[in-house]
Every structure is written in C-alpha cells, then in structure tokens.
Amino acid sequence: MILGVSVASLEHVCPSLLVWDTNFAAQAKQVKTVATQAAQLWLSKTDEQLGWQYRPPSKEGPILSGFSEPFDTWAAMMNLIDKEQWPIDCPPKNIAYFCSVFPCDYYPPQSEHQFVFQAKSQVKANLKGMLEKNMQAIWPLAYQNNEFDWSVLHGSQLSGDERLNKQYWRVNVDPSDRYVLSVAGSSKYRLATDETQFTNLFITGDWIKTGVNAGCVEAAVMAGMQTARAMVGYPQHISGEDAFAALTH
C-alpha cells in the first residue's frame, strides 16, 4: 500500500497506525504544515507595459518574494500563455502568479462546512486589496490617479472590478493541501518511504526523508522515486538523496 497523502492528513486517515508506530507519530507531529493562499491573474498588458523596468538577457520573467502582505510572492508567468487554450483572436498578454501564507490560527472540525468557503472569500478580498493598494510599486502604469485600472485584467466583457471574478484564487486549508514546512530540528523526524513499522506500507510525498526535506516538487519527485525503488528496485540512484549524510557522521 502506498500512502501518498500529505503529512497533516495522517492523524485523520490513519490514527491507529500512529498509535502503533511512535516514530511515525513523531513525524506526523513534528513535520509541520501551514495554510497557504494563491491567485492567478490573466492580464491585458505585458510586465513592461505595466511599468516593470527590468528584463534580464535571459528574458526570464521576474520572481519576487518577501514583497508585501497578504501576497508576498509574485511570479511573472507570461511564458505559459501558449501552453493554455485561448481563442486565437483574444489571448491574454501576460500571467501573474501570487502566493503566500494564509493566516489561520484555528482549524475547525469537519462539521463546519462553511469554513473553506469563508476562507476562500477572504483570499478574494485579499487579492482585491492587494491590487488596490500594494502593486503600484511594481506595476506603476496599472494605476490612474493612484487607483488600480481594472482594464488591466483580461476580460473585455466585464467592467471595473467585476473583471476580478474571471481570475483564479484558492485557499489551501485542508490537511492534504497545506504546505509542508522545514522547521528547525524537524528533519530528524522524517522517515524514508519504507521506514515505518509496517512492512506492506510505503509513505511518499515531500514530507518524507529525501535529502531535500523541503516542501517542493523536487522533493515530491524524489519521494516517488524512492517509493518505486523500494517496490521494484528502480531507480537505483536518486541524485541528492544523501545530502544530509555528512551531517549525521
């Protein structure tokens, strides 16, 4: 059996296994997660047309982190336009990704069905507030008289801030969706795919011991490769898997 849910889900989907395996339980407790929020905007202007002044020789779009709350990370993703399916006569000119931690001190029981809807509504409000107040330093030409020009958002059939309704935003508060952290001292609690006490169980995801030990797609891929090797013997070598070995000897 392959258990591929994220670490925050373990107490919900397999509490009896955690009772039997204290190391597995320690992993579930010590490898922390955090709720996040994300948004994607399709835009009618390029970064330069919005006022962004720097483009490196590589032509790669900027990625900015530690900017401002409630979305502290922005990535210019114009390179994905031709990967999406748009009508030939009216594609957007630009794409912007935003993400950040979603402040959430209380996770209610499953019976509170409105919680996720309320959280997602808060993300939309955060996104609207960010455009109205925070982006002028990055996109100065997206503002007129210090007010955000909503025509910058792709979607000519709508006017004003109604264009925001055609964009994308989400909140990640469910246990399986929350971002896996690398808090100090937590790596020692991570188990490899076959290190639980259960011989017919393989755990996998960016929360197990991979040599990266961080919440990212690279760690998730390495975990999947580790699980495949434990089951069928391939691949024999996983690059970076022994990154922490020098620290343990």
Side-chain angles (χ1 to χ4, degrees), residues 120-158:
K120 188 174 182 181
S121 295
Q122 183 61 54
V123 174
K124 182 183 180 183
N126 292 344
L127 180 61
K128 185 173 186 290
M130 179 195 68
L131 293 175
E132 291 176 331
K133 301 174 183 178
N134 296 355
M135 292 300 292
Q136 192 168 7
I138 292 177
W139 295 341
L141 301 183
Y143 290 76
Q144 297 182 0
N145 299 320
N146 292 323
E147 293 188 0
F148 185 72
D149 178 7
W150 293 102
S151 69
V152 165
L153 301 183
H154 183 69
S156 58
Q157 71 275 23
L158 297 173

PDB file of all heavy atoms in Angstrom, residues 120-158:
ATOM      1  N   LYS A 120     -11.943  31.035   1.417  1.00  0.00           N
ATOM      2  CA  LYS A 120     -11.730  31.388   0.010  1.00  0.00           C
ATOM      3  C   LYS A 120     -12.228  32.801  -0.273  1.00  0.00           C
ATOM      4  O   LYS A 120     -11.609  33.548  -1.047  1.00  0.00           O
ATOM      5  CB  LYS A 120     -12.432  30.386  -0.900  1.00  0.00           C
ATOM      6  CG  LYS A 120     -12.092  30.572  -2.373  1.00  0.00           C
ATOM      7  CD  LYS A 120     -12.669  29.478  -3.245  1.00  0.00           C
ATOM      8  CE  LYS A 120     -12.267  29.674  -4.701  1.00  0.00           C
ATOM      9  NZ  LYS A 120     -12.840  28.612  -5.582  1.00  0.00           N
ATOM     10  N   SER A 121     -13.323  33.199   0.363  1.00  0.00           N
ATOM     11  CA  SER A 121     -13.814  34.569   0.201  1.00  0.00           C
ATOM     12  C   SER A 121     -12.805  35.571   0.736  1.00  0.00           C
ATOM     13  O   SER A 121     -12.618  36.657   0.169  1.00  0.00           O
ATOM     14  CB  SER A 121     -15.157  34.736   0.926  1.00  0.00           C
ATOM     15  OG  SER A 121     -16.158  33.939   0.329  1.00  0.00           O
ATOM     16  N   GLN A 122     -12.127  35.200   1.805  1.00  0.00           N
ATOM     17  CA  GLN A 122     -11.105  36.069   2.359  1.00  0.00           C
ATOM     18  C   GLN A 122      -9.932  36.228   1.399  1.00  0.00           C
ATOM     19  O   GLN A 122      -9.363  37.317   1.270  1.00  0.00           O
ATOM     20  CB  GLN A 122     -10.603  35.526   3.704  1.00  0.00           C
ATOM     21  CG  GLN A 122      -9.571  36.411   4.380  1.00  0.00           C
ATOM     22  CD  GLN A 122     -10.114  37.788   4.695  1.00  0.00           C
ATOM     23  OE1 GLN A 122     -11.149  37.911   5.343  1.00  0.00           O
ATOM     24  NE2 GLN A 122      -9.432  38.829   4.235  1.00  0.00           N
ATOM     25  N   VAL A 123      -9.579  35.144   0.701  1.00  0.00           N
ATOM     26  CA  VAL A 123      -8.498  35.219  -0.285  1.00  0.00           C
ATOM     27  C   VAL A 123      -8.868  36.185  -1.405  1.00  0.00           C
ATOM     28  O   VAL A 123      -8.039  36.997  -1.852  1.00  0.00           O
ATOM     29  CB  VAL A 123      -8.173  33.824  -0.852  1.00  0.00           C
ATOM     30  CG1 VAL A 123      -7.144  33.929  -1.980  1.00  0.00           C
ATOM     31  CG2 VAL A 123      -7.640  32.917   0.238  1.00  0.00           C
ATOM     32  N   LYS A 124     -10.117  36.135  -1.864  1.00  0.00           N
ATOM     33  CA  LYS A 124     -10.551  37.078  -2.906  1.00  0.00           C
ATOM     34  C   LYS A 124     -10.446  38.510  -2.403  1.00  0.00           C
ATOM     35  O   LYS A 124      -9.971  39.410  -3.123  1.00  0.00           O
ATOM     36  CB  LYS A 124     -11.977  36.779  -3.344  1.00  0.00           C
ATOM     37  CG  LYS A 124     -12.450  37.708  -4.463  1.00  0.00           C
ATOM     38  CD  LYS A 124     -13.898  37.470  -4.846  1.00  0.00           C
ATOM     39  CE  LYS A 124     -14.330  38.414  -5.962  1.00  0.00           C
ATOM     40  NZ  LYS A 124     -15.765  38.248  -6.310  1.00  0.00           N
ATOM     41  N   ALA A 125     -10.869  38.734  -1.162  1.00  0.00           N
ATOM     42  CA  ALA A 125     -10.764  40.075  -0.591  1.00  0.00           C
ATOM     43  C   ALA A 125      -9.300  40.496  -0.471  1.00  0.00           C
ATOM     44  O   ALA A 125      -8.954  41.663  -0.732  1.00  0.00           O
ATOM     45  CB  ALA A 125     -11.447  40.113   0.777  1.00  0.00           C
ATOM     46  N   ASN A 126      -8.438  39.555  -0.103  1.00  0.00           N
ATOM     47  CA  ASN A 126      -7.006  39.852  -0.031  1.00  0.00           C
ATOM     48  C   ASN A 126      -6.448  40.235  -1.398  1.00  0.00           C
ATOM     49  O   ASN A 126      -5.632  41.153  -1.523  1.00  0.00           O
ATOM     50  CB  ASN A 126      -6.246  38.643   0.514  1.00  0.00           C
ATOM     51  CG  ASN A 126      -6.552  38.364   1.967  1.00  0.00           C
ATOM     52  OD1 ASN A 126      -7.091  39.217   2.682  1.00  0.00           O
ATOM     53  ND2 ASN A 126      -6.206  37.167   2.424  1.00  0.00           N
ATOM     54  N   LEU A 127      -6.883  39.509  -2.429  1.00  0.00           N
ATOM     55  CA  LEU A 127      -6.413  39.765  -3.786  1.00  0.00           C
ATOM     56  C   LEU A 127      -6.868  41.145  -4.253  1.00  0.00           C
ATOM     57  O   LEU A 127      -6.083  41.918  -4.824  1.00  0.00           O
ATOM     58  CB  LEU A 127      -6.939  38.675  -4.720  1.00  0.00           C
ATOM     59  CG  LEU A 127      -6.555  38.770  -6.191  1.00  0.00           C
ATOM     60  CD1 LEU A 127      -5.041  38.706  -6.361  1.00  0.00           C
ATOM     61  CD2 LEU A 127      -7.223  37.642  -6.993  1.00  0.00           C
ATOM     62  N   LYS A 128      -8.107  41.470  -4.015  1.00  0.00           N
ATOM     63  CA  LYS A 128      -8.638  42.777  -4.417  1.00  0.00           C
ATOM     64  C   LYS A 128      -7.888  43.897  -3.688  1.00  0.00           C
ATOM     65  O   LYS A 128      -7.494  44.899  -4.301  1.00  0.00           O
ATOM     66  CB  LYS A 128     -10.134  42.850  -4.110  1.00  0.00           C
ATOM     67  CG  LYS A 128     -10.825  44.114  -4.601  1.00  0.00           C
ATOM     68  CD  LYS A 128     -12.336  44.005  -4.403  1.00  0.00           C
ATOM     69  CE  LYS A 128     -13.062  45.198  -5.013  1.00  0.00           C
ATOM     70  NZ  LYS A 128     -12.819  46.447  -4.274  1.00  0.00           N
ATOM     71  N   GLY A 129      -7.667  43.708  -2.387  1.00  0.00           N
ATOM     72  CA  GLY A 129      -6.956  44.726  -1.630  1.00  0.00           C
ATOM     73  C   GLY A 129      -5.522  44.903  -2.087  1.00  0.00           C
ATOM     74  O   GLY A 129      -5.004  46.023  -2.116  1.00  0.00           O
ATOM     75  N   MET A 130      -4.886  43.801  -2.475  1.00  0.00           N
ATOM     76  CA  MET A 130      -3.510  43.886  -2.958  1.00  0.00           C
ATOM     77  C   MET A 130      -3.432  44.726  -4.236  1.00  0.00           C
ATOM     78  O   MET A 130      -2.548  45.583  -4.384  1.00  0.00           O
ATOM     79  CB  MET A 130      -2.961  42.491  -3.222  1.00  0.00           C
ATOM     80  CG  MET A 130      -1.536  42.478  -3.761  1.00  0.00           C
ATOM     81  SD  MET A 130      -1.061  40.876  -4.461  1.00  0.00           S
ATOM     82  CE  MET A 130      -2.125  40.814  -5.906  1.00  0.00           C
ATOM     83  N   LEU A 131      -4.367  44.498  -5.152  1.00  0.00           N
ATOM     84  CA  LEU A 131      -4.354  45.245  -6.401  1.00  0.00           C
ATOM     85  C   LEU A 131      -4.664  46.722  -6.163  1.00  0.00           C
ATOM     86  O   LEU A 131      -4.080  47.606  -6.808  1.00  0.00           O
ATOM     87  CB  LEU A 131      -5.370  44.646  -7.380  1.00  0.00           C
ATOM     88  CG  LEU A 131      -5.041  43.229  -7.877  1.00  0.00           C
ATOM     89  CD1 LEU A 131      -6.172  42.697  -8.746  1.00  0.00           C
ATOM     90  CD2 LEU A 131      -3.726  43.210  -8.645  1.00  0.00           C
ATOM     91  N   GLU A 132      -5.538  46.989  -5.241  1.00  0.00           N
ATOM     92  CA  GLU A 132      -5.922  48.369  -4.989  1.00  0.00           C
ATOM     93  C   GLU A 132      -4.840  49.153  -4.244  1.00  0.00           C
ATOM     94  O   GLU A 132      -4.733  50.376  -4.413  1.00  0.00           O
ATOM     95  CB  GLU A 132      -7.226  48.401  -4.184  1.00  0.00           C
ATOM     96  CG  GLU A 132      -8.432  47.922  -4.982  1.00  0.00           C
ATOM     97  CD  GLU A 132      -9.705  47.868  -4.147  1.00  0.00           C
ATOM     98  OE1 GLU A 132      -9.590  47.661  -2.907  1.00  0.00           O
ATOM     99  OE2 GLU A 132     -10.791  48.008  -4.723  1.00  0.00           O
ATOM    100  N   LYS A 133      -4.007  48.460  -3.439  1.00  0.00           N
ATOM    101  CA  LYS A 133      -3.117  49.173  -2.536  1.00  0.00           C
ATOM    102  C   LYS A 133      -1.627  48.882  -2.711  1.00  0.00           C
ATOM    103  O   LYS A 133      -0.795  49.757  -2.444  1.00  0.00           O
ATOM    104  CB  LYS A 133      -3.502  48.859  -1.085  1.00  0.00           C
ATOM    105  CG  LYS A 133      -4.925  49.225  -0.727  1.00  0.00           C
ATOM    106  CD  LYS A 133      -5.262  48.751   0.679  1.00  0.00           C
ATOM    107  CE  LYS A 133      -6.710  49.046   1.039  1.00  0.00           C
ATOM    108  NZ  LYS A 133      -7.063  48.545   2.401  1.00  0.00           N
ATOM    109  N   ASN A 134      -1.274  47.662  -3.137  1.00  0.00           N
ATOM    110  CA  ASN A 134       0.120  47.233  -2.991  1.00  0.00           C
ATOM    111  C   ASN A 134       0.936  47.129  -4.269  1.00  0.00           C
ATOM    112  O   ASN A 134       2.159  47.115  -4.200  1.00  0.00           O
ATOM    113  CB  ASN A 134       0.182  45.867  -2.289  1.00  0.00           C
ATOM    114  CG  ASN A 134      -0.346  45.917  -0.872  1.00  0.00           C
ATOM    115  OD1 ASN A 134      -0.683  46.978  -0.372  1.00  0.00           O
ATOM    116  ND2 ASN A 134      -0.420  44.772  -0.228  1.00  0.00           N
ATOM    117  N   MET A 135       0.306  47.005  -5.419  1.00  0.00           N
ATOM    118  CA  MET A 135       1.049  46.665  -6.636  1.00  0.00           C
ATOM    119  C   MET A 135       1.581  47.870  -7.393  1.00  0.00           C
ATOM    120  O   MET A 135       2.277  47.715  -8.396  1.00  0.00           O
ATOM    121  CB  MET A 135       0.168  45.820  -7.559  1.00  0.00           C
ATOM    122  CG  MET A 135      -0.139  44.425  -7.028  1.00  0.00           C
ATOM    123  SD  MET A 135       1.345  43.430  -6.754  1.00  0.00           S
ATOM    124  CE  MET A 135       1.900  43.185  -8.446  1.00  0.00           C
ATOM    125  N   GLN A 136       1.290  49.058  -6.942  1.00  0.00           N
ATOM    126  CA  GLN A 136       1.697  50.238  -7.698  1.00  0.00           C
ATOM    127  C   GLN A 136       3.212  50.367  -7.800  1.00  0.00           C
ATOM    128  O   GLN A 136       3.745  50.853  -8.803  1.00  0.00           O
ATOM    129  CB  GLN A 136       1.097  51.497  -7.070  1.00  0.00           C
ATOM    130  CG  GLN A 136       1.241  52.735  -7.954  1.00  0.00           C
ATOM    131  CD  GLN A 136       0.392  53.897  -7.464  1.00  0.00           C
ATOM    132  OE1 GLN A 136      -0.203  53.830  -6.393  1.00  0.00           O
ATOM    133  NE2 GLN A 136       0.325  54.956  -8.243  1.00  0.00           N
ATOM    134  N   ALA A 137       3.930  49.893  -6.775  1.00  0.00           N
ATOM    135  CA  ALA A 137       5.392  49.968  -6.815  1.00  0.00           C
ATOM    136  C   ALA A 137       5.974  49.081  -7.903  1.00  0.00           C
ATOM    137  O   ALA A 137       7.043  49.372  -8.451  1.00  0.00           O
ATOM    138  CB  ALA A 137       5.961  49.570  -5.451  1.00  0.00           C
ATOM    139  N   ILE A 138       5.287  47.998  -8.236  1.00  0.00           N
ATOM    140  CA  ILE A 138       5.763  47.051  -9.240  1.00  0.00           C
ATOM    141  C   ILE A 138       5.158  47.345 -10.605  1.00  0.00           C
ATOM    142  O   ILE A 138       5.841  47.266 -11.632  1.00  0.00           O
ATOM    143  CB  ILE A 138       5.417  45.615  -8.800  1.00  0.00           C
ATOM    144  CG1 ILE A 138       6.231  45.241  -7.560  1.00  0.00           C
ATOM    145  CG2 ILE A 138       5.686  44.603  -9.914  1.00  0.00           C
ATOM    146  CD1 ILE A 138       5.897  43.874  -7.004  1.00  0.00           C
ATOM    147  N   TRP A 139       3.861  47.698 -10.617  1.00  0.00           N
ATOM    148  CA  TRP A 139       3.142  47.985 -11.860  1.00  0.00           C
ATOM    149  C   TRP A 139       2.645  49.430 -11.844  1.00  0.00           C
ATOM    150  O   TRP A 139       1.438  49.687 -11.780  1.00  0.00           O
ATOM    151  CB  TRP A 139       1.947  47.055 -12.010  1.00  0.00           C
ATOM    152  CG  TRP A 139       2.261  45.598 -12.177  1.00  0.00           C
ATOM    153  CD1 TRP A 139       3.426  45.033 -12.551  1.00  0.00           C
ATOM    154  CD2 TRP A 139       1.337  44.517 -11.970  1.00  0.00           C
ATOM    155  NE1 TRP A 139       3.308  43.671 -12.610  1.00  0.00           N
ATOM    156  CE2 TRP A 139       2.036  43.318 -12.262  1.00  0.00           C
ATOM    157  CE3 TRP A 139       0.003  44.440 -11.599  1.00  0.00           C
ATOM    158  CZ2 TRP A 139       1.428  42.056 -12.174  1.00  0.00           C
ATOM    159  CZ3 TRP A 139      -0.606  43.191 -11.503  1.00  0.00           C
ATOM    160  CH2 TRP A 139       0.109  42.018 -11.795  1.00  0.00           C
ATOM    161  N   PRO A 140       3.514  50.408 -11.884  1.00  0.00           N
ATOM    162  CA  PRO A 140       3.056  51.803 -11.771  1.00  0.00           C
ATOM    163  C   PRO A 140       2.106  52.225 -12.887  1.00  0.00           C
ATOM    164  O   PRO A 140       1.244  53.093 -12.666  1.00  0.00           O
ATOM    165  CB  PRO A 140       4.363  52.600 -11.816  1.00  0.00           C
ATOM    166  CG  PRO A 140       5.358  51.694 -12.463  1.00  0.00           C
ATOM    167  CD  PRO A 140       4.974  50.315 -12.034  1.00  0.00           C
ATOM    168  N   LEU A 141       2.250  51.618 -14.064  1.00  0.00           N
ATOM    169  CA  LEU A 141       1.396  52.016 -15.182  1.00  0.00           C
ATOM    170  C   LEU A 141       0.037  51.324 -15.152  1.00  0.00           C
ATOM    171  O   LEU A 141      -0.786  51.535 -16.043  1.00  0.00           O
ATOM    172  CB  LEU A 141       2.111  51.722 -16.506  1.00  0.00           C
ATOM    173  CG  LEU A 141       3.456  52.434 -16.703  1.00  0.00           C
ATOM    174  CD1 LEU A 141       4.033  52.128 -18.075  1.00  0.00           C
ATOM    175  CD2 LEU A 141       3.297  53.938 -16.505  1.00  0.00           C
ATOM    176  N   ALA A 142      -0.205  50.509 -14.137  1.00  0.00           N
ATOM    177  CA  ALA A 142      -1.518  49.871 -13.974  1.00  0.00           C
ATOM    178  C   ALA A 142      -2.447  50.728 -13.121  1.00  0.00           C
ATOM    179  O   ALA A 142      -3.547  50.284 -12.763  1.00  0.00           O
ATOM    180  CB  ALA A 142      -1.362  48.500 -13.336  1.00  0.00           C
ATOM    181  N   TYR A 143      -2.011  51.935 -12.813  1.00  0.00           N
ATOM    182  CA  TYR A 143      -2.796  52.812 -11.945  1.00  0.00           C
ATOM    183  C   TYR A 143      -3.051  54.147 -12.637  1.00  0.00           C
ATOM    184  O   TYR A 143      -2.196  54.672 -13.349  1.00  0.00           O
ATOM    185  CB  TYR A 143      -2.066  53.040 -10.621  1.00  0.00           C
ATOM    186  CG  TYR A 143      -2.026  51.810  -9.751  1.00  0.00           C
ATOM    187  CD1 TYR A 143      -1.146  50.764 -10.033  1.00  0.00           C
ATOM    188  CD2 TYR A 143      -2.876  51.668  -8.661  1.00  0.00           C
ATOM    189  CE1 TYR A 143      -1.117  49.617  -9.256  1.00  0.00           C
ATOM    190  CE2 TYR A 143      -2.853  50.523  -7.873  1.00  0.00           C
ATOM    191  CZ  TYR A 143      -1.969  49.505  -8.176  1.00  0.00           C
ATOM    192  OH  TYR A 143      -1.945  48.366  -7.407  1.00  0.00           O
ATOM    193  N   GLN A 144      -4.235  54.681 -12.399  1.00  0.00           N
ATOM    194  CA  GLN A 144      -4.591  56.009 -12.871  1.00  0.00           C
ATOM    195  C   GLN A 144      -5.084  56.817 -11.677  1.00  0.00           C
ATOM    196  O   GLN A 144      -6.025  56.398 -10.992  1.00  0.00           O
ATOM    197  CB  GLN A 144      -5.674  55.931 -13.944  1.00  0.00           C
ATOM    198  CG  GLN A 144      -5.239  55.199 -15.207  1.00  0.00           C
ATOM    199  CD  GLN A 144      -6.324  55.186 -16.273  1.00  0.00           C
ATOM    200  OE1 GLN A 144      -7.412  55.714 -16.087  1.00  0.00           O
ATOM    201  NE2 GLN A 144      -6.009  54.570 -17.407  1.00  0.00           N
ATOM    202  N   ASN A 145      -4.416  57.939 -11.428  1.00  0.00           N
ATOM    203  CA  ASN A 145      -4.746  58.760 -10.259  1.00  0.00           C
ATOM    204  C   ASN A 145      -4.683  57.934  -8.976  1.00  0.00           C
ATOM    205  O   ASN A 145      -5.546  58.049  -8.089  1.00  0.00           O
ATOM    206  CB  ASN A 145      -6.125  59.398 -10.414  1.00  0.00           C
ATOM    207  CG  ASN A 145      -6.204  60.322 -11.618  1.00  0.00           C
ATOM    208  OD1 ASN A 145      -5.264  61.062 -11.915  1.00  0.00           O
ATOM    209  ND2 ASN A 145      -7.319  60.266 -12.329  1.00  0.00           N
ATOM    210  N   ASN A 146      -3.672  57.079  -8.915  1.00  0.00           N
ATOM    211  CA  ASN A 146      -3.428  56.215  -7.749  1.00  0.00           C
ATOM    212  C   ASN A 146      -4.515  55.179  -7.503  1.00  0.00           C
ATOM    213  O   ASN A 146      -4.584  54.605  -6.412  1.00  0.00           O
ATOM    214  CB  ASN A 146      -3.242  57.062  -6.487  1.00  0.00           C
ATOM    215  CG  ASN A 146      -1.959  57.870  -6.522  1.00  0.00           C
ATOM    216  OD1 ASN A 146      -0.937  57.405  -7.019  1.00  0.00           O
ATOM    217  ND2 ASN A 146      -2.012  59.085  -6.000  1.00  0.00           N
ATOM    218  N   GLU A 147      -5.324  54.912  -8.492  1.00  0.00           N
ATOM    219  CA  GLU A 147      -6.343  53.868  -8.390  1.00  0.00           C
ATOM    220  C   GLU A 147      -6.076  52.793  -9.436  1.00  0.00           C
ATOM    221  O   GLU A 147      -5.706  53.096 -10.581  1.00  0.00           O
ATOM    222  CB  GLU A 147      -7.745  54.445  -8.579  1.00  0.00           C
ATOM    223  CG  GLU A 147      -8.175  55.371  -7.449  1.00  0.00           C
ATOM    224  CD  GLU A 147      -9.633  55.766  -7.573  1.00  0.00           C
ATOM    225  OE1 GLU A 147     -10.289  55.323  -8.543  1.00  0.00           O
ATOM    226  OE2 GLU A 147     -10.116  56.518  -6.699  1.00  0.00           O
ATOM    227  N   PHE A 148      -6.248  51.547  -9.043  1.00  0.00           N
ATOM    228  CA  PHE A 148      -5.954  50.443  -9.956  1.00  0.00           C
ATOM    229  C   PHE A 148      -6.886  50.482 -11.154  1.00  0.00           C
ATOM    230  O   PHE A 148      -8.105  50.656 -11.027  1.00  0.00           O
ATOM    231  CB  PHE A 148      -6.106  49.103  -9.229  1.00  0.00           C
ATOM    232  CG  PHE A 148      -5.714  47.915 -10.058  1.00  0.00           C
ATOM    233  CD1 PHE A 148      -4.381  47.666 -10.349  1.00  0.00           C
ATOM    234  CD2 PHE A 148      -6.677  47.050 -10.560  1.00  0.00           C
ATOM    235  CE1 PHE A 148      -4.009  46.568 -11.123  1.00  0.00           C
ATOM    236  CE2 PHE A 148      -6.316  45.950 -11.332  1.00  0.00           C
ATOM    237  CZ  PHE A 148      -4.983  45.713 -11.619  1.00  0.00           C
ATOM    238  N   ASP A 149      -6.313  50.307 -12.328  1.00  0.00           N
ATOM    239  CA  ASP A 149      -7.070  50.287 -13.584  1.00  0.00           C
ATOM    240  C   ASP A 149      -7.503  48.846 -13.855  1.00  0.00           C
ATOM    241  O   ASP A 149      -6.699  48.017 -14.275  1.00  0.00           O
ATOM    242  CB  ASP A 149      -6.187  50.813 -14.718  1.00  0.00           C
ATOM    243  CG  ASP A 149      -6.894  50.789 -16.065  1.00  0.00           C
ATOM    244  OD1 ASP A 149      -8.109  50.493 -16.105  1.00  0.00           O
ATOM    245  OD2 ASP A 149      -6.222  51.055 -17.084  1.00  0.00           O
ATOM    246  N   TRP A 150      -8.758  48.549 -13.619  1.00  0.00           N
ATOM    247  CA  TRP A 150      -9.242  47.171 -13.724  1.00  0.00           C
ATOM    248  C   TRP A 150      -9.220  46.644 -15.153  1.00  0.00           C
ATOM    249  O   TRP A 150      -9.285  45.432 -15.364  1.00  0.00           O
ATOM    250  CB  TRP A 150     -10.653  47.068 -13.146  1.00  0.00           C
ATOM    251  CG  TRP A 150     -10.667  47.309 -11.663  1.00  0.00           C
ATOM    252  CD1 TRP A 150     -11.049  48.450 -11.025  1.00  0.00           C
ATOM    253  CD2 TRP A 150     -10.244  46.404 -10.641  1.00  0.00           C
ATOM    254  NE1 TRP A 150     -10.894  48.325  -9.672  1.00  0.00           N
ATOM    255  CE2 TRP A 150     -10.397  47.074  -9.402  1.00  0.00           C
ATOM    256  CE3 TRP A 150      -9.748  45.105 -10.644  1.00  0.00           C
ATOM    257  CZ2 TRP A 150     -10.078  46.476  -8.182  1.00  0.00           C
ATOM    258  CZ3 TRP A 150      -9.425  44.507  -9.430  1.00  0.00           C
ATOM    259  CH2 TRP A 150      -9.596  45.189  -8.219  1.00  0.00           C
ATOM    260  N   SER A 151      -9.079  47.533 -16.137  1.00  0.00           N
ATOM    261  CA  SER A 151      -8.991  47.064 -17.525  1.00  0.00           C
ATOM    262  C   SER A 151      -7.696  46.321 -17.790  1.00  0.00           C
ATOM    263  O   SER A 151      -7.542  45.668 -18.825  1.00  0.00           O
ATOM    264  CB  SER A 151      -9.121  48.244 -18.497  1.00  0.00           C
ATOM    265  OG  SER A 151      -7.980  49.096 -18.423  1.00  0.00           O
ATOM    266  N   VAL A 152      -6.746  46.405 -16.842  1.00  0.00           N
ATOM    267  CA  VAL A 152      -5.507  45.636 -16.941  1.00  0.00           C
ATOM    268  C   VAL A 152      -5.789  44.137 -16.885  1.00  0.00           C
ATOM    269  O   VAL A 152      -5.052  43.334 -17.467  1.00  0.00           O
ATOM    270  CB  VAL A 152      -4.550  46.050 -15.796  1.00  0.00           C
ATOM    271  CG1 VAL A 152      -3.428  45.042 -15.620  1.00  0.00           C
ATOM    272  CG2 VAL A 152      -3.994  47.431 -16.074  1.00  0.00           C
ATOM    273  N   LEU A 153      -6.872  43.750 -16.217  1.00  0.00           N
ATOM    274  CA  LEU A 153      -7.245  42.340 -16.145  1.00  0.00           C
ATOM    275  C   LEU A 153      -7.918  41.912 -17.435  1.00  0.00           C
ATOM    276  O   LEU A 153      -8.798  42.612 -17.956  1.00  0.00           O
ATOM    277  CB  LEU A 153      -8.175  42.093 -14.957  1.00  0.00           C
ATOM    278  CG  LEU A 153      -7.630  42.454 -13.578  1.00  0.00           C
ATOM    279  CD1 LEU A 153      -8.646  42.085 -12.505  1.00  0.00           C
ATOM    280  CD2 LEU A 153      -6.302  41.768 -13.311  1.00  0.00           C
ATOM    281  N   HIS A 154      -7.539  40.759 -17.942  1.00  0.00           N
ATOM    282  CA  HIS A 154      -8.091  40.249 -19.194  1.00  0.00           C
ATOM    283  C   HIS A 154      -9.576  39.940 -19.013  1.00  0.00           C
ATOM    284  O   HIS A 154      -9.983  39.354 -18.015  1.00  0.00           O
ATOM    285  CB  HIS A 154      -7.337  38.984 -19.609  1.00  0.00           C
ATOM    286  CG  HIS A 154      -7.764  38.418 -20.911  1.00  0.00           C
ATOM    287  ND1 HIS A 154      -7.518  39.033 -22.116  1.00  0.00           N
ATOM    288  CD2 HIS A 154      -8.442  37.271 -21.212  1.00  0.00           C
ATOM    289  CE1 HIS A 154      -7.991  38.300 -23.096  1.00  0.00           C
ATOM    290  NE2 HIS A 154      -8.560  37.231 -22.583  1.00  0.00           N
ATOM    291  N   GLY A 155     -10.382  40.304 -20.001  1.00  0.00           N
ATOM    292  CA  GLY A 155     -11.814  40.017 -19.944  1.00  0.00           C
ATOM    293  C   GLY A 155     -12.634  41.226 -20.328  1.00  0.00           C
ATOM    294  O   GLY A 155     -13.214  41.880 -19.466  1.00  0.00           O
ATOM    295  N   SER A 156     -12.689  41.541 -21.603  1.00  0.00           N
ATOM    296  CA  SER A 156     -13.321  42.773 -22.062  1.00  0.00           C
ATOM    297  C   SER A 156     -14.831  42.778 -21.879  1.00  0.00           C
ATOM    298  O   SER A 156     -15.467  43.828 -21.959  1.00  0.00           O
ATOM    299  CB  SER A 156     -12.993  43.016 -23.551  1.00  0.00           C
ATOM    300  OG  SER A 156     -13.432  41.912 -24.335  1.00  0.00           O
ATOM    301  N   GLN A 157     -15.445  41.607 -21.626  1.00  0.00           N
ATOM    302  CA  GLN A 157     -16.896  41.550 -21.484  1.00  0.00           C
ATOM    303  C   GLN A 157     -17.373  42.080 -20.136  1.00  0.00           C
ATOM    304  O   GLN A 157     -18.570  42.261 -19.924  1.00  0.00           O
ATOM    305  CB  GLN A 157     -17.399  40.112 -21.684  1.00  0.00           C
ATOM    306  CG  GLN A 157     -17.057  39.136 -20.558  1.00  0.00           C
ATOM    307  CD  GLN A 157     -15.681  38.524 -20.713  1.00  0.00           C
ATOM    308  OE1 GLN A 157     -14.818  39.084 -21.381  1.00  0.00           O
ATOM    309  NE2 GLN A 157     -15.473  37.378 -20.083  1.00  0.00           N
ATOM    310  N   LEU A 158     -16.438  42.345 -19.224  1.00  0.00           N
ATOM    311  CA  LEU A 158     -16.777  42.853 -17.902  1.00  0.00           C
ATOM    312  C   LEU A 158     -16.104  44.205 -17.679  1.00  0.00           C
ATOM    313  O   LEU A 158     -15.136  44.547 -18.355  1.00  0.00           O
ATOM    314  CB  LEU A 158     -16.329  41.865 -16.817  1.00  0.00           C
ATOM    315  CG  LEU A 158     -16.988  40.487 -16.852  1.00  0.00           C
ATOM    316  CD1 LEU A 158     -16.340  39.566 -15.831  1.00  0.00           C
ATOM    317  CD2 LEU A 158     -18.488  40.587 -16.600  1.00  0.00           C
TER     318      LEU A 158
END
